[in-house]
Amino acid sequence: MFTITPVMKKIRTITLTFLMSLFSILLWVFSPNEGRALCCVGMLFSTVGDLILMDTDGLEKWKKLPWFYIGGGAFAVTHLLYFLGYFQLIQKENLPFFSFGFSIALSVYVLFLFLLLILFRRAGTSAVQRGLILAYDFMISLASFAIYSYAFSKGGWYLLAAFGSLSFFLSDLLIILRIVLGRTRLDPLVWVLYPIGQVLILFFA
């Protein structure tokens, strides 16, 4: 059976994250707008998070890894900038924020919030871990509120932006599951869902 070595994982991480950053920069240079500029900066923060966290293969020991907090903080900034970027697009195009798309994103957030609370109870997660994970979960969902709202208001191909947001959300959820439960069979899906989500979010900004 083919096995991905730690060195191969690092090469994969570095290659994909730099390609996504290059993609975001090219989009901003050749088709600039205010929202895309913020998303481009958000992708750069995401690259910082990727490079910091690529050596934290044992996420189940995350409390002992101070760099984990810095990497997680970089991703939190990414989600905040994605929210601001898409919110600017909503305002610029005079679209409603509290739209059908927003209600779907809110429903997804509430659903996964309940799932996390059930998971915490079964896994015996500490209060500190719960607080940090729930705070990060909110930051992920904050971006999805604006992206879903914009995507469903525009319709058509823009709905792929919502799919990208969901894909990014699911990749982060898998990482959260790994933190709480340890390794799972779904771990390889992270680096499938994550780049798909990033590319779609960046392209439709």
Side-chain angles (χ1 to χ4, degrees):
M1 181 179 292
F2 180 75
T3 302
I4 299 178
T5 66
V7 173
M8 293 171 64
K9 288 181 180 180
K10 290 182 181 182
I11 293 174
R12 174 201 61 191
T13 299
I14 293 171
T15 302
L16 283 177
T17 196
F18 274 106
L19 284 175
M20 289 186 289
S21 284
L22 178 61
F23 179 67
S24 70
I25 292 170
L26 291 175
L27 284 174
W28 176 60
V29 169
F30 291 103
S31 182
N33 62 51
E34 297 86 347
R36 184 160 282 166
L38 286 168
C39 289
C40 177
V41 177
M43 182 61 234
L44 296 179
F45 270 96
S46 186
T47 292
V48 172
D50 285 332
L51 295 178
I52 289 173
L53 295 179
M54 70 178 178
D55 284 323
T56 59
D57 197 43
L59 289 179
E60 59 275 6
K61 300 178 181 178
W62 65 293
K63 288 194 297 183
K64 300 179 181 179
L65 300 169
W67 284 102
F68 185 88
Y69 299 103
I70 299 175
F75 279 109
V77 173
T78 293
H79 291 297
L80 176 60
L81 289 170
Y82 283 176
F83 166 79
L84 293 174
Y86 272 84
F87 187 74
Q88 280 203 2
L89 293 174
I90 290 170
Q91 289 189 314
K92 183 179 180 180
E93 300 184 33
N94 294 316
L95 299 172
F97 177 72
F98 295 104
S99 62
F100 176 67
F102 173 85
S103 65
I104 293 177
L106 182 62
S107 299
V108 172
Y109 169 64
V110 171
L111 173 63
F112 281 100
L113 180 61
F114 277 113
L115 289 176
L116 283 175
L117 292 176
I118 293 171
L119 181 65
F120 291 158
R121 186 172 181 178
R122 291 186 176 181
T125 311
S126 70
V128 174
Q129 286 178 320
R130 292 183 185 188
L132 290 172
I133 291 172
L134 290 177
Y136 184 72
D137 181 53
F138 175 76
M139 293 302 297
I140 303 171
S141 299
L142 184 65
S144 71
F145 293 158
I147 295 171
Y148 274 60
S149 180
Y150 182 74
F152 278 87
S153 293
K154 295 281 288 185
W157 288 105
Y158 284 91
L159 292 174
L160 289 174
F163 178 79
S165 179
L166 178 62
S167 185
F168 197 165
F169 185 94
L170 290 174
S171 72
D172 276 338
L173 179 66
L174 291 178
I175 293 173
I176 290 173
L177 289 175
R178 184 177 171 189
I179 291 171
V180 176
L181 299 177
R183 295 182 181 276
T184 72
R185 294 180 180 179
L186 298 176
D187 285 351
L189 286 177
V190 171
W191 277 96
V192 175
L193 295 169
Y194 171 61
I196 291 174
Q198 289 279 33
V199 168
L200 291 176
I201 290 170
L202 293 168
F203 183 78
F204 287 99

